Amino acid sequence: MGQTASTSSVTPAPAVKEDVAALQDQTHFTLNEIKKLKTEFQKQAGPGYTISKDQFKHTLQKHVQCWSVGAQYLFLERLFDAFDLDGNKTIDFREFIQGLSVFMKGSAEEKMELSFRLYDIDHSGSIEPKELINIMGKMYSAFYNEDQTKKIKEVVEQIFSDLDINGDGSLSLHEYKLMALKEPLIIDFLEQFLIVTP
């Protein structure tokens, strides 16, 4: 048992070195960009070479702009969950780089899939009305002084009425992509949070 712990605490560094070269082929980042991001990641990473939600928010807060602290907090919370593909409540270096690649440099298709994961709160692979209302409500409450709940529910009801093709009460990724054509602001909000650095 002690041998396993010893091996796992030594293994991450070489595995990360191998990943750096492979990640260049799997992402939109250059080798130099990956190395810089690795340095930032290492400053926050724990012994298992992963970062927690708080460490993630600390690392990315300078790259994410918001109209309020509350909106930034919510967005980074959801972004963490979207990056955490294995659902283990931590992000490893691969998840970090792959997620950032899509967030910062991804194609429209990739960003659409990332935004889908932001709304899919329960990681079920589909978006239910309550999830969309929840996220939109929190985002809008940070932006508007008056309660937008009624308006948000109406918009969500209309979206589901128009786009829930199979009538199952949830939106699949395919149906969500159709939604992007009807309500581009729901998808485009990723761009609103990104601070582009030279």
Side-chain angles (χ1 to χ4, degrees), residues 116 120-128 131 170-174:
F116 177 84
D120 183 14
I121 295 171
D122 64 4
H123 303 286
S124 65
S126 64
I127 300 171
E128 297 173 13
E131 292 173 309
S170 64
L171 295 180
S172 65
L173 179 59
H174 172 73

Side-chain angles (χ1 to χ4, degrees), residues 149-181:
T149 305
K150 183 178 177 186
K151 183 176 181 177
I152 290 168
K153 284 182 179 179
E154 289 171 1
V155 169
V156 170
E157 284 175 17
Q158 188 61 51
I159 287 170
F160 276 80
S161 172
D162 293 348
L163 300 174
D164 183 12
I165 297 167
N166 60 6
D168 66 353
S170 64
L171 295 180
S172 65
L173 179 59
H174 172 73
E175 291 168 326
Y176 182 77
K177 289 177 180 179
L178 294 175
M179 181 175 68
L181 300 173

Side-chain angles (χ1 to χ4, degrees), residues 85-167:
L85 296 177
D86 60 10
N88 68 353
K89 307 291 185 211
T90 62
I91 293 180
D92 62 34
F93 185 63
R94 178 174 297 280
E95 290 171 320
F96 183 73
I97 292 297
Q98 289 176 335
L100 278 182
S101 173
V102 171
F103 177 55
M104 299 175 84
K105 296 183 169 198
S107 67
E109 179 83 10
E110 290 170 323
K111 287 185 179 190
M112 203 176 307
E113 290 175 11
L114 176 62
S115 68
F116 177 84
R117 292 196 315 264
L118 289 173
Y119 289 115
D120 183 14
I121 295 171
D122 64 4
H123 303 286
S124 65
S126 64
I127 300 171
E128 297 173 13
K130 65 181 179 184
E131 292 173 309
L132 198 52
I133 290 168
N134 182 347
I135 297 295
M136 290 176 69
K138 288 179 180 176
M139 296 306 284
Y140 280 96
S141 70
F143 193 63
Y144 294 104
N145 290 332
E146 67 269 358
D147 185 17
Q148 296 293 312
T149 305
K150 183 178 177 186
K151 183 176 181 177
I152 290 168
K153 284 182 179 179
E154 289 171 1
V155 169
V156 170
E157 284 175 17
Q158 188 61 51
I159 287 170
F160 276 80
S161 172
D162 293 348
L163 300 174
D164 183 12
I165 297 167
N166 60 6

Side-chain angles (χ1 to χ4, degrees), residues 13 26 32 45 67 69 72 85 96 125 141 144 151 184-185 198:
Q26 299 168 5
N32 283 338
W67 54 87
V69 173
Q72 182 185 47
L85 296 177
F96 183 73
S141 70
Y144 294 104
K151 183 176 181 177
L185 287 176

